[in-house]
Amino acid sequence: MSEKEDEKGKRGAHHTELYFEVPPTCLPIVYSPEYNITFMGLEKLHPFDAGKWGKVIHFLKEEQFISDDNIVQAREATEEDLLVVHTRRYLSKLKNHVLEGSREWSLVVATITEIPPVLFLPNFLVQRKVLRPLRTQTGGTIMAGKLAMDRGWAINVGGGFHHCSSDKGGGFCAYADITLAIKFLFERVEGVCRATIIDLDAHQGNGHERDFLDDRRVYIMDVYNRYIYPGDGYAKRAIKRKVELDWGTEDMEYLQKVELHVEGALNEVRPDIIIYNAGTDILDGDPLGGLAISPQGIVKRDEIVFRAARRRSIPILMVTSGGYQKKTARIIADSILNLNREGLIEGVAAEEAGPSFMPLMMSKSLSSGATFNAI
């Protein structure tokens, strides 16, 4: 996209409720109880822990790091928000159903979520119980993008749907939240012209890779198990720094590669924002990831990425993405607490921090006119 086209996009941006001024008493941590998917136990038919996001928040509250009053409540992305990236045809597919007699079958959503019984649910229930939580997480990622620019860092406790592109979902990913967050920033925040995606989920992030295949403004680094889903050779053409791992890769090799390539990526191109897809499906024993990283290794990995961003004063947005064991919620919480202990995120809100609190970069928003794959 040319600079002229980019400016035109800024002027013509639609009205959204996702960009608004967050009180300085709030930490740039985004969450809503609406993230969690609970529906007659059907969510248990996929290995993904569909309530892990709430558990992360619970653990952070237990440690008195956050409270309901000092985190940002996520808002659901509207259809107009989603159309910034998604085609109308794709969004219509999520609403459509297959008619058989007097029943309506939700075929597309059952395929994307990999929960076959969803096929037999009325679409209005699928919208409310499955897609609305995913739209709220998507709104949370978009909101966290602006917060990262305002505060220097932000964490969406959900999101990271990196298998979804503008016109196709899969692997429990129905909306392209990473692409949306970047496109919103390009359209609405002055000074954001380049973005780097650091995707450290165990799976290749083929959704955002397809979306940014020909976009020179977006640099993609992807570290993943070479042998598992999705194996999207076409999408791999978008990866500027590709690190393919073998089965059972352990901490020492993994952390060395992560540090080497994070430093290399940020030295090669200095972005205006980093989007960090921090999947925990790299954990040893994960049924889908196939790697063997310890809980301590995951905490250290996140520290490496945040430290590299902080050293360069580059705003960073973290999303939590995949992770298919019950203990991943505890690990995510422990990692956030470690980032605070290491001084890589501020453990108090801006107003409480006094004059020593300085955002890394202040944004100027325009007016808001049965075989399972994986996240």
Side-chain angles (χ1 to χ4, degrees):
M1 179 183 290
S2 68
E3 290 184 11
K4 185 178 291 185
E5 289 171 321
D6 190 42
E7 287 305 313
K8 182 180 178 183
K10 285 182 168 68
R11 290 194 300 272
H14 74 282
H15 173 77
T16 182
E17 299 294 330
L18 300 179
Y19 272 26
F20 59 94
E21 291 304 314
V22 172
T25 52
C26 287
L27 290 167
I29 294 176
V30 184
Y31 170 73
S32 166
E34 295 292 326
Y35 282 13
N36 302 289
I37 300 172
T38 55
F39 189 45
M40 299 188 301
L42 289 179
E43 69 279 359
K44 297 177 182 177
L45 296 176
H46 192 288
F48 191 82
D49 180 1
K52 78 171 185 179
W53 309 286
K55 294 173 187 174
V56 173
I57 293 296
H58 172 74
F59 291 135
L60 293 176
K61 287 179 179 176
E62 276 192 336
E63 299 292 335
Q64 298 184 333
F65 179 68
I66 62 169
S67 68
D68 287 334
D69 294 332
N70 71 356
I71 61 174
V72 180
Q73 291 296 314
R75 299 179 179 181
E76 181 182 351
T78 66
E79 181 161 325
E80 284 301 306
D81 294 326
L82 297 172
L83 285 169
V84 169
V85 166
H86 289 293
T87 63
R88 289 190 185 275
R89 183 170 178 269
Y90 173 71
L91 295 181
S92 294
K93 282 183 179 181
L94 297 179
K95 298 175 186 176
N96 288 346
H97 42 258
V98 179
L99 291 175
E100 184 174 312
S102 61
R103 297 299 302 273
E104 303 172 349
W105 311 123
S106 301
L107 178 61
V108 173
V109 180
T111 302
I112 291 171
T113 60
E114 299 167 337
I115 304 175
V118 168
L119 173 65
F120 304 109
L121 298 175
N123 192 262
F124 78 91
L125 284 178
V126 172
Q127 292 291 327
R128 185 184 308 161
K129 295 292 187 177
V130 180
L131 291 179
R132 182 183 292 169
L134 299 182
R135 285 194 297 269
T136 305
Q137 292 192 41
T138 297
T141 301
I142 296 168
M143 293 166 63
K146 179 180 183 296
L147 272 170
M149 296 305 299
D150 288 342
R151 304 286 187 86
W153 65 276
I155 297 170
N156 181 15
V157 174
F161 305 132
H162 65 159
H163 297 310
C164 187
S165 62
S166 64
D167 60 358
K168 186 178 182 182
F172 211 78
C173 302
Y175 302 106
D177 68 317
I178 292 174
T179 306
L180 279 158
I182 293 171
K183 289 288 184 73
F184 263 70
L185 289 168
F186 284 166
E187 287 184 0
R188 294 170 181 270
V189 179
E190 293 180 16
V192 182
C193 304
R194 291 181 177 177
T196 289
I197 299 170
I198 297 177
D199 195 333
L200 301 187
D201 186 274
H203 300 81
Q204 176 200 352
N206 61 320
H208 58 72
E209 288 161 10
R210 283 177 170 262
D211 286 335
F212 292 118
L213 189 62
D214 299 314
D215 195 330
R216 295 182 180 180
R217 299 172 299 174
V218 180
Y219 183 106
I220 299 175
M221 168 182 160
D222 202 347
V223 182
Y224 56 89
N225 184 337
R226 71 175 76 221
Y227 299 110
I228 61 174
Y229 175 89
D232 190 336
Y234 178 79
K236 287 180 184 180
R237 294 162 45 197
I239 304 173
K240 301 297 192 299
R241 190 171 285 259
K242 177 174 62 179
V243 184
E244 296 187 320
L245 303 173
D246 292 320
W247 291 108
T249 298
E250 296 181 349
D251 285 19
M252 183 175 292
E253 177 188 352
Y254 179 77
L255 293 173
Q256 286 176 348
K257 287 182 175 179
V258 166
E259 186 160 23
L260 173 68
H261 290 286
V262 166
E263 292 291 330
L266 297 179
N267 288 339
E268 186 175 341
V269 174
R270 180 186 174 86
D272 301 306
I273 188 166
I274 297 165
I275 292 80
Y276 172 37
N277 198 47
T280 47
D281 51 359
I282 63 171
L283 181 65
D284 188 18
D286 190 278
L288 303 182
L291 303 177
I293 309 305
S294 70
Q296 296 79 14
I298 292 174
V299 170
K300 184 62 179 177
R301 175 201 67 173
D302 295 349
E303 182 183 326
I304 288 169
V305 177
F306 270 77
R307 194 174 296 283
R310 186 76 177 214
R311 191 183 308 122
R312 294 167 174 81
S313 297
I314 301 172
I316 182 169
L317 156 61
M318 171 177 154
V319 288
T320 57
S321 201
Y324 306 92
Q325 299 183 71
K326 296 297 183 184
K327 53 188 172 183
T328 59
R330 177 78 252 183
I331 296 168
I332 294 167
D334 285 345
S335 180
I336 293 171
L337 294 169
N338 178 66
L339 293 173
N340 178 53
R341 282 193 301 271
E342 293 295 321
L344 299 173
I345 61 176
E346 288 75 20
V348 291
E351 191 173 83
E352 298 168 353
S356 64
F357 177 87
M358 288 293 291
L360 298 183
M361 181 174 182
M362 296 299 293
S363 69
K364 296 179 180 178
S365 307
L366 298 178
S367 61
S368 49
T371 296
F372 294 111
N373 295 309
I375 289 180

